[in-house]
Amino acid sequence: MKEHKKEYRTDVGRGCTFENGAIPEESSARACPGCYKLGAYDWLSDIPEAQAGDIFEVRFKNTRKGYYRNASDLRLEVGDIVAVEASPGHDIGIVSMAGDMVAKQMRRTGFRSEGIEFKKIYRKAKAADIVKWQEAIALEHSTMIRSRVIAADLGLNMKIGDVEYQGDKMKAIFYYIADERVDFRELIKIFAEQFRIRIEMKQIGARQEAGRIGGIGSCGRELCCSTWMSGFVSVTTNSARFQEISLNPQKLAGQCGKLKCCLNYEVDTYIDARREFPKINAPLETMEGSYYLVKTDIFKKQLSFSSDPGSTVNIVTVPLRRVKEILSMNRRGVKPDTLLSAQDAAPREQLPDFKNVVGEESITRFDTGKSGRRDNRRRRDRRDDGEGRQSRGGSQPRGEQRADQSRGDQPRREPRGEGARKEQPRGEGQTREGQGDGQRPHRRNGGGRNRRRRGGGNSGGNGGGNSAAN
Protein backbone atom coordinates (compact mmCIF):
# COMPACT_ATOMS: atom_id res chain seq x y z
CA MET A 1 0.00 0.00 0.00
CA LYS A 2 1.37 3.37 -0.98
CA GLU A 3 2.14 5.66 1.94
CA HIS A 4 1.21 9.31 1.79
CA LYS A 5 3.89 11.75 2.79
CA LYS A 6 3.05 14.40 5.35
CA GLU A 7 3.32 18.06 4.57
CA TYR A 8 5.14 20.27 7.07
CA ARG A 9 4.51 23.97 7.44
CA THR A 10 5.99 26.28 10.07
CA ASP A 11 4.14 29.27 11.47
CA VAL A 12 6.71 31.79 12.69
CA GLY A 13 4.16 34.03 14.41
CA ARG A 14 2.90 31.25 16.66
CA GLY A 15 6.13 29.24 16.89
CA CYS A 16 4.78 25.83 15.84
CA THR A 17 5.01 23.37 12.96
CA PHE A 18 1.95 21.75 11.36
CA GLU A 19 2.01 18.18 10.05
CA ASN A 20 -0.77 17.52 7.53
CA GLY A 21 -1.52 14.02 6.34
CA ALA A 22 -3.75 12.64 3.59
CA ILE A 23 -6.83 12.80 5.81
CA PRO A 24 -7.76 15.44 8.43
CA GLU A 25 -7.46 12.88 11.24
CA GLU A 26 -3.71 12.64 10.61
CA SER A 27 -3.13 16.39 11.08
CA SER A 28 -1.14 17.47 14.12
CA ALA A 29 1.00 20.32 15.39
CA ARG A 30 4.03 20.63 17.64
CA ALA A 31 5.75 23.59 19.23
CA CYS A 32 9.16 24.84 18.11
CA PRO A 33 11.22 25.77 21.21
CA GLY A 34 12.96 29.12 20.92
CA CYS A 35 11.08 30.15 17.75
CA TYR A 36 8.50 32.40 19.37
CA LYS A 37 8.53 35.92 20.77
CA LEU A 38 8.81 36.86 24.45
CA GLY A 39 10.26 33.50 25.36
CA ALA A 40 11.43 32.78 28.92
CA TYR A 41 13.82 30.17 30.30
CA ASP A 42 12.40 27.92 33.02
CA TRP A 43 15.28 27.92 35.50
CA LEU A 44 13.11 26.13 38.13
CA SER A 45 12.49 23.03 36.03
CA ASP A 46 15.27 20.98 37.73
CA ILE A 47 14.40 21.98 41.31
CA PRO A 48 12.46 19.20 43.06
CA GLU A 49 10.90 21.59 45.59
CA ALA A 50 9.13 23.48 42.80
CA GLN A 51 5.41 22.96 43.12
CA ALA A 52 3.18 22.36 40.11
CA GLY A 53 0.29 24.83 40.21
CA ASP A 54 -2.95 24.89 38.28
CA ILE A 55 -2.25 28.21 36.53
CA PHE A 56 -0.53 28.02 33.16
CA GLU A 57 0.71 30.65 30.76
CA VAL A 58 -0.58 30.15 27.21
CA ARG A 59 0.80 32.06 24.24
CA PHE A 60 -0.91 32.88 20.98
CA LYS A 61 0.19 34.83 17.90
CA ASN A 62 3.30 37.00 18.28
CA THR A 63 3.38 38.65 21.72
CA ARG A 64 -0.17 37.91 22.95
CA LYS A 65 -0.22 35.75 26.08
CA GLY A 66 -2.72 34.89 28.79
CA TYR A 67 -3.04 33.01 32.11
CA TYR A 68 -5.51 30.10 32.33
CA ARG A 69 -6.56 27.65 35.02
CA ASN A 70 -6.31 23.90 34.56
CA ALA A 71 -9.74 23.10 35.95
CA SER A 72 -9.86 19.58 34.50
CA ASP A 73 -6.54 18.48 36.09
CA LEU A 74 -4.97 17.68 32.73
CA ARG A 75 -1.37 16.51 32.60
CA LEU A 76 0.10 19.45 30.74
CA GLU A 77 3.69 20.29 29.90
CA VAL A 78 5.39 23.22 28.25
CA GLY A 79 4.82 22.97 24.48
CA ASP A 80 1.41 21.29 24.58
CA ILE A 81 -1.23 22.71 22.25
CA VAL A 82 -4.49 23.28 24.14
CA ALA A 83 -7.97 24.62 23.57
CA VAL A 84 -8.82 27.40 26.03
CA GLU A 85 -11.92 29.37 26.89
CA ALA A 86 -12.67 32.50 24.87
CA SER A 87 -15.60 34.89 24.49
CA PRO A 88 -17.30 33.66 22.45
CA GLY A 89 -16.19 30.11 21.57
CA HIS A 90 -12.72 28.76 22.20
CA ASP A 91 -9.19 29.59 21.12
CA ILE A 92 -6.11 27.47 20.39
CA GLY A 93 -2.80 28.26 22.09
CA ILE A 94 0.49 26.73 23.21
CA VAL A 95 1.53 26.25 26.86
CA SER A 96 4.63 28.41 27.42
CA MET A 97 5.11 28.31 31.20
CA ALA A 98 4.02 26.14 34.14
CA GLY A 99 4.67 25.70 37.85
CA ASP A 100 6.20 28.32 40.14
CA MET A 101 7.52 30.27 37.17
CA VAL A 102 3.99 31.43 36.38
CA ALA A 103 3.65 33.26 39.71
CA LYS A 104 7.08 34.86 39.30
CA GLN A 105 6.24 35.88 35.75
CA MET A 106 3.00 37.51 36.87
CA ARG A 107 4.88 39.54 39.49
CA ARG A 108 7.50 40.59 36.95
CA THR A 109 4.94 41.75 34.39
CA GLY A 110 2.76 43.46 37.00
CA PHE A 111 -0.24 41.19 36.50
CA ARG A 112 -2.60 41.34 39.49
CA SER A 113 -4.46 38.09 40.10
CA GLU A 114 -6.45 39.26 43.13
CA GLY A 115 -10.17 39.19 42.42
CA ILE A 116 -9.75 37.90 38.88
CA GLU A 117 -11.44 34.73 37.70
CA PHE A 118 -9.08 32.90 35.36
CA LYS A 119 -10.41 31.37 32.17
CA LYS A 120 -10.29 27.59 31.82
CA ILE A 121 -8.25 25.19 29.77
CA TYR A 122 -10.72 22.84 28.09
CA ARG A 123 -8.58 20.07 26.61
CA LYS A 124 -5.57 19.25 24.53
CA ALA A 125 -6.13 20.18 20.91
CA LYS A 126 -7.48 17.40 18.71
CA ALA A 127 -6.92 16.84 15.01
CA ALA A 128 -10.19 18.61 14.13
CA ASP A 129 -9.13 21.61 16.20
CA ILE A 130 -5.78 21.73 14.38
CA VAL A 131 -7.45 21.65 10.95
CA LYS A 132 -9.86 24.45 11.83
CA TRP A 133 -7.01 26.44 13.37
CA GLN A 134 -5.05 26.24 10.14
CA GLU A 135 -8.05 27.41 8.15
CA ALA A 136 -8.36 30.45 10.39
CA ILE A 137 -4.63 31.24 10.06
CA ALA A 138 -4.89 31.08 6.25
CA LEU A 139 -7.47 33.90 6.26
CA GLU A 140 -5.37 36.41 8.25
CA HIS A 141 -3.24 37.91 5.47
CA SER A 142 -6.06 38.43 2.99
CA THR A 143 -8.26 39.91 5.72
CA MET A 144 -5.55 42.39 6.69
CA ILE A 145 -5.08 43.57 3.08
CA ARG A 146 -8.85 43.96 2.57
CA SER A 147 -9.26 45.83 5.87
CA ARG A 148 -6.55 48.32 4.93
CA VAL A 149 -8.36 49.12 1.70
CA ILE A 150 -11.64 49.67 3.52
CA ALA A 151 -10.03 51.95 6.11
CA ALA A 152 -8.38 54.00 3.35
CA ASP A 153 -11.71 54.37 1.50
CA LEU A 154 -13.32 55.72 4.66
CA GLY A 155 -10.48 58.24 5.08
CA LEU A 156 -9.53 57.10 8.58
CA ASN A 157 -6.12 58.17 9.89
CA MET A 158 -5.09 54.74 11.13
CA LYS A 159 -2.86 51.85 10.12
CA ILE A 160 -3.95 48.24 10.53
CA GLY A 161 -0.77 46.40 11.33
CA ASP A 162 -1.92 42.82 11.95
CA VAL A 163 -4.98 40.55 12.12
CA GLU A 164 -5.28 37.54 14.42
CA TYR A 165 -8.11 35.02 14.03
CA GLN A 166 -9.44 33.01 16.92
CA GLY A 167 -8.91 29.26 16.76
CA ASP A 168 -12.57 28.53 15.94
CA LYS A 169 -12.88 31.34 13.29
CA MET A 170 -15.63 33.09 15.26
CA LYS A 171 -13.70 36.27 16.08
CA ALA A 172 -10.74 38.29 14.78
CA ILE A 173 -8.58 40.89 16.51
CA PHE A 174 -7.52 43.87 14.38
CA TYR A 175 -4.37 45.61 15.69
CA TYR A 176 -4.09 49.22 14.55
CA ILE A 177 -1.89 52.26 15.16
CA ALA A 178 -3.26 55.80 15.27
CA ASP A 179 -1.79 59.08 16.45
CA GLU A 180 -5.19 60.52 17.39
CA ARG A 181 -8.62 59.31 18.36
CA VAL A 182 -10.40 57.40 15.58
CA ASP A 183 -14.14 56.85 15.21
CA PHE A 184 -14.29 53.36 13.69
CA ARG A 185 -17.96 52.54 14.35
CA GLU A 186 -18.73 52.58 10.64
CA LEU A 187 -15.59 50.55 9.99
CA ILE A 188 -16.70 47.78 12.35
CA LYS A 189 -20.06 47.51 10.58
CA ILE A 190 -18.36 47.10 7.21
CA PHE A 191 -15.93 44.53 8.63
CA ALA A 192 -18.79 42.48 10.09
CA GLU A 193 -20.61 42.47 6.74
CA GLN A 194 -17.50 41.64 4.73
CA PHE A 195 -15.90 38.93 6.89
CA ARG A 196 -18.94 37.50 8.75
CA ILE A 197 -17.11 37.32 12.07
CA ARG A 198 -17.03 39.14 15.37
CA ILE A 199 -14.69 42.15 15.30
CA GLU A 200 -12.38 43.35 18.08
CA MET A 201 -10.29 46.51 17.52
CA LYS A 202 -7.13 46.83 19.62
CA GLN A 203 -4.91 49.89 19.52
CA ILE A 204 -1.17 49.43 20.02
CA GLY A 205 1.82 51.77 19.99
CA ALA A 206 4.86 51.88 17.78
CA ARG A 207 6.93 49.88 20.29
CA GLN A 208 4.30 47.13 20.52
CA GLU A 209 4.15 46.92 16.73
CA ALA A 210 7.92 46.53 16.51
CA GLY A 211 7.72 43.75 19.11
CA ARG A 212 5.01 41.94 17.16
CA ILE A 213 6.88 42.20 13.86
CA GLY A 214 10.33 41.48 15.31
CA GLY A 215 13.70 42.03 13.67
CA ILE A 216 17.43 42.53 14.29
CA GLY A 217 18.68 45.61 16.11
CA SER A 218 21.84 47.62 15.53
CA CYS A 219 23.61 45.47 18.15
CA GLY A 220 23.21 42.41 15.95
CA ARG A 221 20.72 40.65 18.22
CA GLU A 222 16.95 40.27 18.16
CA LEU A 223 14.90 43.20 19.35
CA CYS A 224 14.42 43.32 23.11
CA CYS A 225 10.71 44.10 22.69
CA SER A 226 10.21 40.81 20.82
CA THR A 227 12.39 38.57 23.02
CA TRP A 228 11.93 39.43 26.68
CA MET A 229 10.50 42.94 27.30
CA SER A 230 6.86 42.84 28.33
CA GLY A 231 6.55 46.40 29.64
CA PHE A 232 7.77 49.65 28.12
CA VAL A 233 9.24 52.60 30.03
CA SER A 234 9.43 56.08 28.55
CA VAL A 235 12.87 56.98 27.16
CA THR A 236 14.06 60.61 26.97
CA THR A 237 17.12 62.33 25.60
CA ASN A 238 18.36 62.89 29.16
CA SER A 239 19.40 59.23 29.19
CA ALA A 240 21.73 59.93 26.29
CA ARG A 241 23.07 63.12 27.88
CA PHE A 242 23.95 61.37 31.13
CA GLN A 243 25.96 58.80 29.16
CA GLU A 244 27.52 61.48 26.91
CA ILE A 245 26.15 59.90 23.75
CA SER A 246 25.96 62.00 20.61
CA LEU A 247 22.41 63.27 20.13
CA ASN A 248 22.06 61.89 16.63
CA PRO A 249 18.40 60.96 15.96
CA GLN A 250 19.35 58.37 13.36
CA LYS A 251 21.57 56.47 15.81
CA LEU A 252 19.39 56.88 18.89
CA ALA A 253 16.14 55.75 17.23
CA GLY A 254 15.20 52.10 16.90
CA GLN A 255 13.15 50.31 14.29
CA CYS A 256 9.96 51.64 15.81
CA GLY A 257 11.07 55.24 15.20
CA LYS A 258 11.27 55.97 18.94
CA LEU A 259 14.31 56.24 21.17
CA LYS A 260 15.96 52.90 21.85
CA CYS A 261 14.87 51.13 25.02
CA CYS A 262 18.47 50.11 25.75
CA LEU A 263 19.34 53.74 26.57
CA ASN A 264 17.76 53.14 29.99
CA TYR A 265 19.74 49.99 30.78
CA GLU A 266 22.92 51.68 32.13
CA VAL A 267 21.75 55.19 32.87
CA ASP A 268 21.42 54.48 36.61
CA THR A 269 25.07 53.43 36.80
CA TYR A 270 26.15 56.65 35.10
CA ILE A 271 24.00 58.76 37.42
CA ASP A 272 25.54 57.13 40.50
CA ALA A 273 29.07 57.62 39.16
CA ARG A 274 28.43 61.28 38.34
CA ARG A 275 27.68 62.20 41.94
CA GLU A 276 31.41 62.54 42.69
CA PHE A 277 31.95 64.97 39.81
CA PRO A 278 31.46 68.70 40.45
CA LYS A 279 29.44 70.94 38.15
CA ILE A 280 31.83 72.92 35.97
CA ASN A 281 30.02 75.96 34.59
CA ALA A 282 33.14 78.09 34.03
CA PRO A 283 36.62 77.39 32.67
CA LEU A 284 39.52 76.52 34.92
CA GLU A 285 41.81 79.52 35.43
CA THR A 286 45.58 79.00 35.60
CA MET A 287 48.64 81.17 35.06
CA GLU A 288 49.01 79.59 31.61
CA GLY A 289 45.48 80.54 30.59
CA SER A 290 41.88 79.31 30.70
CA TYR A 291 40.92 75.70 30.05
CA TYR A 292 37.47 74.57 28.96
CA LEU A 293 35.83 71.23 29.63
CA VAL A 294 35.64 68.94 26.59
CA LYS A 295 35.02 65.42 27.83
CA THR A 296 34.38 63.53 31.05
CA ASP A 297 35.50 59.96 31.62
CA ILE A 298 33.30 58.86 34.48
CA PHE A 299 34.74 55.45 35.24
CA LYS A 300 38.41 56.51 34.99
CA LYS A 301 37.60 59.67 36.97
CA GLN A 302 39.33 61.93 34.49
CA LEU A 303 38.33 65.16 32.75
CA SER A 304 39.72 66.51 29.47
CA PHE A 305 40.19 70.25 28.95
CA SER A 306 41.10 72.35 25.93
CA SER A 307 42.68 75.80 25.75
CA ASP A 308 40.33 76.82 22.92
CA PRO A 309 36.58 76.82 23.67
CA GLY A 310 35.66 76.33 20.02
CA SER A 311 37.91 73.39 19.14
CA THR A 312 39.58 70.33 20.61
CA VAL A 313 43.23 71.39 20.28
CA ASN A 314 45.76 71.09 23.10
CA ILE A 315 43.64 68.66 25.06
CA VAL A 316 44.94 67.93 28.55
CA THR A 317 43.56 65.09 30.66
CA VAL A 318 43.36 65.97 34.35
CA PRO A 319 42.44 63.66 37.25
CA LEU A 320 39.29 64.44 39.22
CA ARG A 321 41.30 65.15 42.38
CA ARG A 322 43.33 67.87 40.65
CA VAL A 323 40.19 69.45 39.16
CA LYS A 324 38.63 69.77 42.59
CA GLU A 325 41.81 71.45 43.87
CA ILE A 326 41.83 74.00 41.04
CA LEU A 327 38.13 74.76 41.53
CA SER A 328 38.66 75.45 45.23
CA MET A 329 41.66 77.67 44.42
CA ASN A 330 39.68 79.63 41.80
CA ARG A 331 36.91 80.27 44.32
CA ARG A 332 39.49 81.89 46.59
CA GLY A 333 40.85 83.95 43.70
CA VAL A 334 44.07 81.95 43.37
CA LYS A 335 45.39 80.64 40.06
CA PRO A 336 47.76 77.67 39.98
CA ASP A 337 50.87 77.79 37.83
CA THR A 338 49.96 74.82 35.63
CA LEU A 339 46.91 72.72 35.02
CA LEU A 340 48.67 69.50 35.96
CA SER A 341 50.57 69.12 39.20
CA ALA A 342 54.10 67.78 39.38
CA GLN A 343 52.79 64.43 40.49
CA ASP A 344 50.34 64.17 37.62
CA ALA A 345 52.80 65.44 35.00
CA ALA A 346 55.43 62.78 35.82
CA PRO A 347 55.66 60.16 33.09
CA ARG A 348 54.01 56.94 33.99
CA GLU A 349 55.80 53.65 33.70
CA GLN A 350 54.51 51.78 30.72
CA LEU A 351 53.68 48.16 31.17
CA PRO A 352 55.42 45.69 28.87
CA ASP A 353 53.35 45.05 25.82
CA PHE A 354 53.16 42.02 23.60
CA LYS A 355 55.85 41.87 20.95
CA ASN A 356 55.65 39.64 17.93
CA VAL A 357 59.19 38.29 17.97
CA VAL A 358 58.61 35.17 15.92
CA GLY A 359 56.49 36.90 13.30
CA GLU A 360 53.72 34.35 13.35
CA GLU A 361 51.02 37.02 13.53
CA SER A 362 52.13 38.76 10.33
CA ILE A 363 49.59 38.46 7.54
CA THR A 364 52.18 38.92 4.79
CA ARG A 365 54.81 36.56 6.19
CA PHE A 366 54.34 34.13 3.26
CA ASP A 367 54.19 36.79 0.52
CA THR A 368 57.87 37.82 0.44
CA GLY A 369 59.44 34.36 0.63
CA LYS A 370 59.79 33.57 -3.07
CA SER A 371 60.57 37.11 -4.14
CA GLY A 372 63.25 37.40 -1.46
CA ARG A 373 65.02 34.25 -2.67
CA ARG A 374 64.76 35.43 -6.27
CA ASP A 375 66.34 38.80 -5.39
CA ASN A 376 69.17 37.11 -3.49
CA ARG A 377 69.87 34.86 -6.50
CA ARG A 378 70.07 37.90 -8.80
CA ARG A 379 72.48 39.71 -6.47
CA ARG A 380 74.70 36.62 -6.26
CA ASP A 381 74.81 36.27 -10.08
CA ARG A 382 75.73 39.93 -10.50
CA ARG A 383 78.51 39.58 -7.91
CA ASP A 384 79.96 36.53 -9.69
CA ASP A 385 79.92 38.32 -13.06
CA GLY A 386 81.74 41.29 -11.55
CA GLU A 387 84.47 39.11 -10.08
CA GLY A 388 84.94 37.33 -13.41
CA ARG A 389 85.31 40.61 -15.31
CA GLN A 390 87.87 41.94 -12.84
CA SER A 391 89.95 38.77 -13.17
CA ARG A 392 89.95 39.21 -16.97
CA GLY A 393 91.37 42.72 -16.77
CA GLY A 394 88.40 44.93 -16.11
CA SER A 395 84.89 45.26 -17.38
CA GLN A 396 84.03 46.55 -20.81
CA PRO A 397 81.56 49.33 -21.34
CA ARG A 398 78.25 48.24 -22.76
CA GLY A 399 78.55 50.63 -25.72
CA GLU A 400 81.94 49.20 -26.77
CA GLN A 401 80.67 45.63 -26.64
CA ARG A 402 77.78 46.47 -28.92
CA ALA A 403 80.15 48.21 -31.39
CA ASP A 404 82.40 45.14 -31.55
CA GLN A 405 79.46 42.86 -32.14
CA SER A 406 78.23 45.08 -35.00
CA ARG A 407 81.65 44.87 -36.70
CA GLY A 408 81.83 41.15 -36.38
CA ASP A 409 84.68 41.10 -33.84
CA GLN A 410 83.43 38.81 -31.12
CA PRO A 411 85.25 39.20 -27.83
CA ARG A 412 87.05 36.15 -26.60
CA ARG A 413 85.39 34.54 -23.61
CA GLU A 414 87.46 32.77 -21.07
CA PRO A 415 86.15 29.78 -19.17
CA ARG A 416 85.19 30.24 -15.57
CA GLY A 417 86.75 28.21 -12.84
CA GLU A 418 90.29 27.88 -11.66
CA GLY A 419 91.83 29.07 -14.91
CA ALA A 420 89.66 32.18 -15.08
CA ARG A 421 91.79 34.07 -12.59
CA LYS A 422 95.17 33.26 -14.21
CA GLU A 423 96.72 36.05 -16.22
CA GLN A 424 97.54 35.37 -19.85
CA PRO A 425 101.16 36.08 -20.83
CA ARG A 426 101.87 38.87 -23.20
CA GLY A 427 104.60 38.90 -25.74
CA GLU A 428 106.28 41.51 -27.87
CA GLY A 429 104.18 43.78 -29.92
CA GLN A 430 101.21 43.53 -27.63
CA THR A 431 99.34 46.79 -27.94
CA ARG A 432 95.97 48.23 -27.13
CA GLU A 433 94.13 49.40 -30.17
CA GLY A 434 90.84 51.00 -30.66
CA GLN A 435 91.03 53.23 -27.63
CA GLY A 436 90.03 56.31 -29.52
CA ASP A 437 87.26 54.91 -31.72
CA GLY A 438 85.40 53.06 -28.98
CA GLN A 439 86.59 49.54 -29.93
CA ARG A 440 87.77 47.00 -27.44
CA PRO A 441 91.57 46.61 -27.55
CA HIS A 442 92.85 43.39 -29.10
CA ARG A 443 95.44 41.41 -27.13
CA ARG A 444 98.20 39.68 -29.09
CA ASN A 445 100.62 37.34 -27.44
CA GLY A 446 104.19 37.59 -28.68
CA GLY A 447 107.22 35.45 -28.01
CA GLY A 448 108.03 34.53 -24.49
CA ARG A 449 105.76 33.54 -21.73
CA ASN A 450 106.42 36.30 -19.25
CA ARG A 451 103.81 37.01 -16.61
CA ARG A 452 102.80 40.49 -15.56
CA ARG A 453 104.28 41.57 -12.32
CA ARG A 454 102.05 42.72 -9.48
CA GLY A 455 103.99 45.91 -8.87
CA GLY A 456 104.36 47.02 -12.48
CA GLY A 457 102.06 46.83 -15.42
CA ASN A 458 101.51 47.82 -18.96
CA SER A 459 101.48 51.46 -19.81
CA GLY A 460 98.13 52.95 -20.69
CA GLY A 461 99.04 54.31 -24.20
CA ASN A 462 100.50 52.98 -27.41
CA GLY A 463 103.90 54.49 -26.60
CA GLY A 464 104.38 52.32 -23.55
CA GLY A 465 105.56 48.81 -24.19
CA ASN A 466 105.64 45.69 -22.16
CA SER A 467 108.45 46.06 -19.65
CA ALA A 468 108.78 42.34 -19.25
CA ALA A 469 109.12 41.83 -23.00
CA ASN A 470 111.75 44.59 -23.34
Side-chain angles (χ1 to χ4, degrees):
M1 184 176 180
K2 186 177 180 179
E3 297 182 357
H4 295 279
K5 295 183 179 180
K6 289 187 176 182
E7 297 180 357
Y8 297 91
R9 185 176 61 85
T10 302
D11 190 334
V12 180
R14 291 170 172 83
C16 64
T17 301
F18 296 101
E19 302 176 2
N20 299 323
I23 56 178
E25 288 75 10
E26 295 180 357
S27 300
S28 61
R30 56 184 177 84
C32 297
C35 298
Y36 55 91
K37 298 179 178 63
L38 295 185
Y41 177 73
D42 188 4
W43 50 275
L44 295 177
S45 59
D46 298 335
I47 299 178
E49 290 81 7
Q51 299 179 0
D54 58 346
I55 305 299
F56 290 82
E57 183 189 67
V58 180
R59 59 181 174 86
F60 302 94
K61 185 178 181 181
N62 291 331
T63 58
R64 186 169 75 92
K65 293 184 178 182
Y67 299 99
Y68 295 86
R69 184 183 298 276
N70 185 12
S72 303
D73 293 334
L74 301 173
R75 298 185 63 179
L76 300 177
E77 297 179 356
V78 175
D80 292 339
I81 300 176
V82 295
V84 298
E85 181 184 359
S87 57
H90 69 275
D91 201 355
I92 306 296
I94 304 173
V95 177
S96 58
M97 196 171 293
D100 290 345
M101 284 294 295
V102 179
K104 298 181 182 299
Q105 183 77 351
M106 287 192 293
R107 286 197 300 268
R108 190 183 73 86
T109 57
F111 181 83
R112 297 181 179 180
S113 60
E114 294 83 3
I116 296 178
E117 185 178 355
F118 290 93
K119 295 181 180 181
K120 301 177 183 179
I121 297 177
Y122 288 147
R123 62 186 181 275
K124 289 186 178 181
K126 302 178 182 179
D129 298 330
I130 300 299
V131 172
K132 199 168 187 179
W133 189 28
Q134 293 185 73
E135 294 176 357
I137 293 173
L139 298 174
E140 291 178 348
H141 183 71
S142 59
T143 303
M144 181 184 65
I145 300 301
R146 179 60 182 164
S147 63
R148 288 180 178 179
V149 175
I150 296 173
D153 294 340
L154 295 177
L156 299 178
N157 188 14
M158 58 183 297
K159 174 190 174 183
I160 299 177
D162 195 7
V163 176
E164 181 181 0
Y165 267 82
Q166 199 169 270
D168 54 358
K169 293 196 302 183
M170 295 184 62
K171 187 180 74 171
I173 304 175
F174 291 79
Y175 297 93
Y176 72 94
I177 301 173
D179 296 333
E180 55 188 15
R181 188 179 181 85
V182 180
D183 185 7
F184 46 76
R185 290 177 292 182
E186 186 67 23
L187 182 66
I188 292 177
K189 293 180 182 179
I190 299 176
F191 282 175
E193 295 175 359
Q194 290 280 337
F195 306 119
R196 300 293 180 178
I197 53 176
R198 187 167 181 174
I199 307 299
E200 180 182 349
M201 304 296 295
K202 189 172 183 179
Q203 184 177 5
I204 59 175
R207 299 180 187 274
Q208 286 83 356
E209 184 190 21
R212 293 182 64 83
I213 297 174
I216 305 298
S218 58
C219 58
R221 304 182 63 180
E222 290 187 67
L223 299 179
C224 299
C225 53
S226 64
T227 51
W228 61 273
M229 284 185 64
S230 57
F232 298 94
V233 183
S234 61
V235 185
T236 61
T237 55
N238 291 332
S239 301
R241 290 192 180 95
F242 281 123
Q243 302 176 60
E244 294 189 357
I245 301 176
S246 176
L247 299 179
N248 188 352
Q250 297 180 353
K251 294 184 178 180
L252 296 182
Q255 294 190 3
C256 58
K258 307 293 182 180
L259 293 177
K260 294 180 181 179
C261 298
C262 56
L263 292 176
N264 284 344
Y265 293 170
E266 300 178 357
V267 66
D268 294 336
T269 306
Y270 279 85
I271 292 175
D272 293 340
R274 275 187 174 275
R275 292 177 181 174
E276 302 181 14
F277 286 74
K279 293 183 179 180
I280 302 177
N281 300 324
L284 299 183
E285 300 293 340
T286 62
M287 300 299 294
E288 297 176 347
S290 301
Y291 289 88
Y292 301 87
L293 179 63
V294 175
K295 179 184 176 182
T296 303
D297 194 336
I298 298 176
F299 299 105
K300 289 185 179 180
K301 295 184 179 181
Q302 295 177 351
L303 294 90
S304 299
F305 293 87
S306 174
S307 58
D308 189 358
S311 63
T312 57
V313 297
N314 300 328
I315 294 180
V316 182
T317 303
V318 187
L320 177 61
R321 170 186 51 79
R322 177 61 177 173
V323 173
K324 291 181 179 179
E325 294 177 1
I326 297 176
L327 287 176
S328 61
M329 295 172 66
N330 291 157
R331 293 191 193 101
R332 299 193 305 266
V334 181
K335 295 182 180 181
D337 296 336
T338 58
L339 187 63
L340 292 174
S341 61
Q343 179 182 358
D344 300 329
R348 299 180 180 179
E349 182 180 358
Q350 296 183 355
L351 298 177
D353 196 4
F354 170 76
K355 292 184 179 180
N356 185 17
V357 181
V358 183
E360 295 180 354
E361 302 298 329
S362 177
I363 301 178
T364 60
R365 63 183 184 271
F366 298 111
D367 298 345
T368 59
K370 296 182 179 180
S371 62
R373 292 194 295 269
R374 190 180 298 111
D375 295 342
N376 294 335
R377 190 181 301 111
R378 291 176 180 175
R379 295 192 191 98
R380 186 168 57 252
D381 294 343
R382 286 197 296 267
R383 186 171 60 251
D384 295 343
D385 294 343
E387 292 178 358
R389 290 176 180 176
Q390 290 179 4
S391 63
R392 292 193 298 268
S395 60
Q396 180 184 6
R398 187 174 300 176
E400 297 180 2
Q401 183 179 359
R402 291 180 180 177
D404 292 343
Q405 292 177 1
S406 62
R407 295 187 180 184
D409 297 334
Q410 298 295 334
R412 184 179 60 184
R413 297 181 179 178
E414 299 177 359
R416 295 181 181 179
E418 298 180 356
R421 297 189 178 183
K422 295 181 180 180
E423 297 294 337
Q424 297 294 335
R426 293 182 181 181
E428 297 182 357
Q430 182 178 0
T431 59
R432 295 186 179 182
E433 300 176 358
Q435 296 289 340
D437 55 356
Q439 297 181 1
R440 184 176 178 180
H442 298 279
R443 298 177 180 176
R444 300 176 182 176
N445 296 330
R449 298 180 178 273
N450 298 327
R451 297 182 181 273
R452 186 177 59 184
R453 301 176 182 177
R454 291 182 179 272
N458 298 336
S459 58
N462 294 331
N466 195 336
S467 59
N470 294 332

